[in-house]
Amino acid sequence: MGALLALARGIDRINEFIGKSVSWLILVAVLVSAINAAIRKIFDVSSNAWLEAQWYLFGAAFLLAAAYTLKQNEHIRIDIVYGAFSRRIQHWIDLFGHVFFLMPFLVLMLWLMFPWLMMSVRSGEVSTNSGGLIIWPAKSLLLIGFGLLFLQGISEIIKKVGVMLGLIPDPHTFTGHHGAAEAFVEEEGI
């Protein structure tokens, strides 16, 4: 189990680095949007390529940060139901969800996306918009994003088993905003 926990730590480091790095793509997308809008207003010139570049940048940030979001335990869940259970039951719910829902979905997505991406690369697929960009870089971001999420899913399963066996401390001692508020109140003595 020690080797698996080391693998999980390595995956976590990679996804943390990528997740924090791609957050800057949002700023770049905003700058591209602002510059494109200014040029359109001042010079009455527009380009579909710049609009599509914005979408690519935002999509890259969203897709490449999804694994980091899973690592941080920030994906949406129904906290009203989930939060009513003990932490032990929550671990079992997470493990079950990761193994039987998340991982099969990711395997299916990766299996279907690879040939779809290769077909786009081979055909030199280009946007149907006038002056648009080539499509395969955006499709490759989908594949990379789901690949990183798959790796993080493996990491989360390993860590969840490690926590349940008592080998590592629970990295998320509370879940959701309600748990965070309760921890704050306890800490501050309010």
PDB file of all heavy atoms in Angstrom, residues 108-124:
ATOM      1  N   LEU A 108     -14.802   5.247 -20.386  1.00  0.00           N
ATOM      2  CA  LEU A 108     -15.618   5.355 -21.596  1.00  0.00           C
ATOM      3  C   LEU A 108     -15.261   6.612 -22.393  1.00  0.00           C
ATOM      4  O   LEU A 108     -15.096   6.555 -23.614  1.00  0.00           O
ATOM      5  CB  LEU A 108     -17.108   5.369 -21.224  1.00  0.00           C
ATOM      6  CG  LEU A 108     -18.082   5.515 -22.394  1.00  0.00           C
ATOM      7  CD1 LEU A 108     -18.005   4.291 -23.305  1.00  0.00           C
ATOM      8  CD2 LEU A 108     -19.497   5.715 -21.871  1.00  0.00           C
ATOM      9  N   MET A 109     -15.124   7.741 -21.698  1.00  0.00           N
ATOM     10  CA  MET A 109     -14.794   8.984 -22.384  1.00  0.00           C
ATOM     11  C   MET A 109     -13.429   8.894 -23.072  1.00  0.00           C
ATOM     12  O   MET A 109     -13.278   9.316 -24.219  1.00  0.00           O
ATOM     13  CB  MET A 109     -14.816  10.162 -21.413  1.00  0.00           C
ATOM     14  CG  MET A 109     -16.201  10.496 -20.881  1.00  0.00           C
ATOM     15  SD  MET A 109     -17.451  10.768 -22.137  1.00  0.00           S
ATOM     16  CE  MET A 109     -16.870  12.259 -22.887  1.00  0.00           C
ATOM     17  N   LEU A 110     -12.440   8.357 -22.381  1.00  0.00           N
ATOM     18  CA  LEU A 110     -11.106   8.233 -22.980  1.00  0.00           C
ATOM     19  C   LEU A 110     -11.132   7.286 -24.172  1.00  0.00           C
ATOM     20  O   LEU A 110     -10.505   7.547 -25.203  1.00  0.00           O
ATOM     21  CB  LEU A 110     -10.102   7.768 -21.925  1.00  0.00           C
ATOM     22  CG  LEU A 110      -9.795   8.797 -20.829  1.00  0.00           C
ATOM     23  CD1 LEU A 110      -9.007   8.156 -19.693  1.00  0.00           C
ATOM     24  CD2 LEU A 110      -9.055   9.994 -21.394  1.00  0.00           C
ATOM     25  N   TRP A 111     -11.852   6.199 -24.043  1.00  0.00           N
ATOM     26  CA  TRP A 111     -11.933   5.198 -25.106  1.00  0.00           C
ATOM     27  C   TRP A 111     -12.614   5.774 -26.350  1.00  0.00           C
ATOM     28  O   TRP A 111     -12.185   5.528 -27.473  1.00  0.00           O
ATOM     29  CB  TRP A 111     -12.685   3.971 -24.582  1.00  0.00           C
ATOM     30  CG  TRP A 111     -12.788   2.854 -25.576  1.00  0.00           C
ATOM     31  CD1 TRP A 111     -11.782   2.141 -26.141  1.00  0.00           C
ATOM     32  CD2 TRP A 111     -14.007   2.334 -26.111  1.00  0.00           C
ATOM     33  NE1 TRP A 111     -12.282   1.190 -26.996  1.00  0.00           N
ATOM     34  CE2 TRP A 111     -13.664   1.291 -26.987  1.00  0.00           C
ATOM     35  CE3 TRP A 111     -15.347   2.630 -25.923  1.00  0.00           C
ATOM     36  CZ2 TRP A 111     -14.600   0.556 -27.677  1.00  0.00           C
ATOM     37  CZ3 TRP A 111     -16.287   1.884 -26.617  1.00  0.00           C
ATOM     38  CH2 TRP A 111     -15.913   0.877 -27.483  1.00  0.00           C
ATOM     39  N   LEU A 112     -13.648   6.579 -26.147  1.00  0.00           N
ATOM     40  CA  LEU A 112     -14.356   7.163 -27.285  1.00  0.00           C
ATOM     41  C   LEU A 112     -13.643   8.387 -27.859  1.00  0.00           C
ATOM     42  O   LEU A 112     -13.731   8.660 -29.053  1.00  0.00           O
ATOM     43  CB  LEU A 112     -15.786   7.553 -26.866  1.00  0.00           C
ATOM     44  CG  LEU A 112     -16.724   6.407 -26.543  1.00  0.00           C
ATOM     45  CD1 LEU A 112     -18.043   6.927 -26.005  1.00  0.00           C
ATOM     46  CD2 LEU A 112     -16.933   5.499 -27.750  1.00  0.00           C
ATOM     47  N   MET A 113     -12.945   9.125 -27.011  1.00  0.00           N
ATOM     48  CA  MET A 113     -12.330  10.373 -27.465  1.00  0.00           C
ATOM     49  C   MET A 113     -11.081  10.180 -28.297  1.00  0.00           C
ATOM     50  O   MET A 113     -10.819  10.990 -29.182  1.00  0.00           O
ATOM     51  CB  MET A 113     -11.983  11.247 -26.263  1.00  0.00           C
ATOM     52  CG  MET A 113     -13.080  12.149 -25.910  1.00  0.00           C
ATOM     53  SD  MET A 113     -12.516  13.287 -24.687  1.00  0.00           S
ATOM     54  CE  MET A 113     -14.085  13.749 -24.076  1.00  0.00           C
ATOM     55  N   PHE A 114     -10.313   9.163 -28.017  1.00  0.00           N
ATOM     56  CA  PHE A 114      -9.047   9.010 -28.731  1.00  0.00           C
ATOM     57  C   PHE A 114      -9.254   8.885 -30.241  1.00  0.00           C
ATOM     58  O   PHE A 114      -8.647   9.637 -31.012  1.00  0.00           O
ATOM     59  CB  PHE A 114      -8.225   7.846 -28.167  1.00  0.00           C
ATOM     60  CG  PHE A 114      -6.873   7.773 -28.768  1.00  0.00           C
ATOM     61  CD1 PHE A 114      -5.885   8.674 -28.397  1.00  0.00           C
ATOM     62  CD2 PHE A 114      -6.576   6.831 -29.742  1.00  0.00           C
ATOM     63  CE1 PHE A 114      -4.634   8.638 -28.972  1.00  0.00           C
ATOM     64  CE2 PHE A 114      -5.319   6.777 -30.319  1.00  0.00           C
ATOM     65  CZ  PHE A 114      -4.350   7.682 -29.928  1.00  0.00           C
ATOM     66  N   PRO A 115     -10.114   7.968 -30.719  1.00  0.00           N
ATOM     67  CA  PRO A 115     -10.312   7.895 -32.177  1.00  0.00           C
ATOM     68  C   PRO A 115     -10.942   9.174 -32.748  1.00  0.00           C
ATOM     69  O   PRO A 115     -10.625   9.584 -33.869  1.00  0.00           O
ATOM     70  CB  PRO A 115     -11.235   6.698 -32.389  1.00  0.00           C
ATOM     71  CG  PRO A 115     -11.567   6.172 -31.057  1.00  0.00           C
ATOM     72  CD  PRO A 115     -10.830   6.925 -30.010  1.00  0.00           C
ATOM     73  N   TRP A 116     -11.805   9.807 -31.987  1.00  0.00           N
ATOM     74  CA  TRP A 116     -12.440  11.062 -32.403  1.00  0.00           C
ATOM     75  C   TRP A 116     -11.385  12.146 -32.594  1.00  0.00           C
ATOM     76  O   TRP A 116     -11.408  12.881 -33.579  1.00  0.00           O
ATOM     77  CB  TRP A 116     -13.462  11.427 -31.325  1.00  0.00           C
ATOM     78  CG  TRP A 116     -14.245  12.667 -31.516  1.00  0.00           C
ATOM     79  CD1 TRP A 116     -15.152  12.935 -32.509  1.00  0.00           C
ATOM     80  CD2 TRP A 116     -14.237  13.812 -30.664  1.00  0.00           C
ATOM     81  NE1 TRP A 116     -15.704  14.184 -32.311  1.00  0.00           N
ATOM     82  CE2 TRP A 116     -15.165  14.736 -31.186  1.00  0.00           C
ATOM     83  CE3 TRP A 116     -13.544  14.143 -29.498  1.00  0.00           C
ATOM     84  CZ2 TRP A 116     -15.403  15.968 -30.590  1.00  0.00           C
ATOM     85  CZ3 TRP A 116     -13.791  15.355 -28.909  1.00  0.00           C
ATOM     86  CH2 TRP A 116     -14.708  16.252 -29.456  1.00  0.00           C
ATOM     87  N   LEU A 117     -10.433  12.227 -31.680  1.00  0.00           N
ATOM     88  CA  LEU A 117      -9.342  13.193 -31.796  1.00  0.00           C
ATOM     89  C   LEU A 117      -8.440  12.852 -32.980  1.00  0.00           C
ATOM     90  O   LEU A 117      -8.071  13.730 -33.761  1.00  0.00           O
ATOM     91  CB  LEU A 117      -8.523  13.235 -30.498  1.00  0.00           C
ATOM     92  CG  LEU A 117      -7.218  14.038 -30.551  1.00  0.00           C
ATOM     93  CD1 LEU A 117      -7.491  15.496 -30.868  1.00  0.00           C
ATOM     94  CD2 LEU A 117      -6.456  13.887 -29.251  1.00  0.00           C
ATOM     95  N   MET A 118      -8.086  11.580 -33.119  1.00  0.00           N
ATOM     96  CA  MET A 118      -7.201  11.180 -34.220  1.00  0.00           C
ATOM     97  C   MET A 118      -7.820  11.467 -35.578  1.00  0.00           C
ATOM     98  O   MET A 118      -7.135  11.901 -36.507  1.00  0.00           O
ATOM     99  CB  MET A 118      -6.846   9.684 -34.111  1.00  0.00           C
ATOM    100  CG  MET A 118      -5.924   9.356 -32.944  1.00  0.00           C
ATOM    101  SD  MET A 118      -4.329  10.201 -33.063  1.00  0.00           S
ATOM    102  CE  MET A 118      -4.489  11.544 -31.940  1.00  0.00           C
ATOM    103  N   MET A 119      -9.127  11.272 -35.703  1.00  0.00           N
ATOM    104  CA  MET A 119      -9.817  11.570 -36.952  1.00  0.00           C
ATOM    105  C   MET A 119      -9.735  13.077 -37.245  1.00  0.00           C
ATOM    106  O   MET A 119      -9.514  13.485 -38.387  1.00  0.00           O
ATOM    107  CB  MET A 119     -11.280  11.120 -36.874  1.00  0.00           C
ATOM    108  CG  MET A 119     -12.033  11.247 -38.169  1.00  0.00           C
ATOM    109  SD  MET A 119     -13.682  10.497 -38.139  1.00  0.00           S
ATOM    110  CE  MET A 119     -14.457  11.358 -36.782  1.00  0.00           C
ATOM    111  N   SER A 120      -9.865  13.886 -36.218  1.00  0.00           N
ATOM    112  CA  SER A 120      -9.782  15.337 -36.375  1.00  0.00           C
ATOM    113  C   SER A 120      -8.381  15.767 -36.789  1.00  0.00           C
ATOM    114  O   SER A 120      -8.216  16.630 -37.650  1.00  0.00           O
ATOM    115  CB  SER A 120     -10.179  16.017 -35.063  1.00  0.00           C
ATOM    116  OG  SER A 120     -10.142  17.402 -35.186  1.00  0.00           O
ATOM    117  N   VAL A 121      -7.363  15.161 -36.186  1.00  0.00           N
ATOM    118  CA  VAL A 121      -5.971  15.497 -36.523  1.00  0.00           C
ATOM    119  C   VAL A 121      -5.676  15.102 -37.967  1.00  0.00           C
ATOM    120  O   VAL A 121      -5.117  15.891 -38.739  1.00  0.00           O
ATOM    121  CB  VAL A 121      -4.987  14.809 -35.547  1.00  0.00           C
ATOM    122  CG1 VAL A 121      -3.555  14.950 -36.022  1.00  0.00           C
ATOM    123  CG2 VAL A 121      -5.144  15.373 -34.138  1.00  0.00           C
ATOM    124  N   ARG A 122      -6.043  13.860 -38.334  1.00  0.00           N
ATOM    125  CA  ARG A 122      -5.755  13.376 -39.692  1.00  0.00           C
ATOM    126  C   ARG A 122      -6.466  14.195 -40.766  1.00  0.00           C
ATOM    127  O   ARG A 122      -5.919  14.440 -41.833  1.00  0.00           O
ATOM    128  CB  ARG A 122      -6.152  11.904 -39.821  1.00  0.00           C
ATOM    129  CG  ARG A 122      -5.135  10.953 -39.245  1.00  0.00           C
ATOM    130  CD  ARG A 122      -5.422   9.509 -39.644  1.00  0.00           C
ATOM    131  NE  ARG A 122      -6.685   9.021 -39.119  1.00  0.00           N
ATOM    132  CZ  ARG A 122      -6.848   8.441 -37.924  1.00  0.00           C
ATOM    133  NH1 ARG A 122      -5.812   8.263 -37.133  1.00  0.00           N
ATOM    134  NH2 ARG A 122      -8.027   8.028 -37.530  1.00  0.00           N
ATOM    135  N   SER A 123      -7.689  14.639 -40.481  1.00  0.00           N
ATOM    136  CA  SER A 123      -8.443  15.380 -41.495  1.00  0.00           C
ATOM    137  C   SER A 123      -8.095  16.861 -41.514  1.00  0.00           C
ATOM    138  O   SER A 123      -8.502  17.577 -42.424  1.00  0.00           O
ATOM    139  CB  SER A 123      -9.952  15.213 -41.250  1.00  0.00           C
ATOM    140  OG  SER A 123     -10.342  15.909 -40.089  1.00  0.00           O
ATOM    141  N   GLY A 124      -7.358  17.324 -40.493  1.00  0.00           N
ATOM    142  CA  GLY A 124      -7.037  18.747 -40.418  1.00  0.00           C
ATOM    143  C   GLY A 124      -8.278  19.589 -40.173  1.00  0.00           C
ATOM    144  O   GLY A 124      -8.408  20.687 -40.699  1.00  0.00           O
TER     145      GLY A 124
END
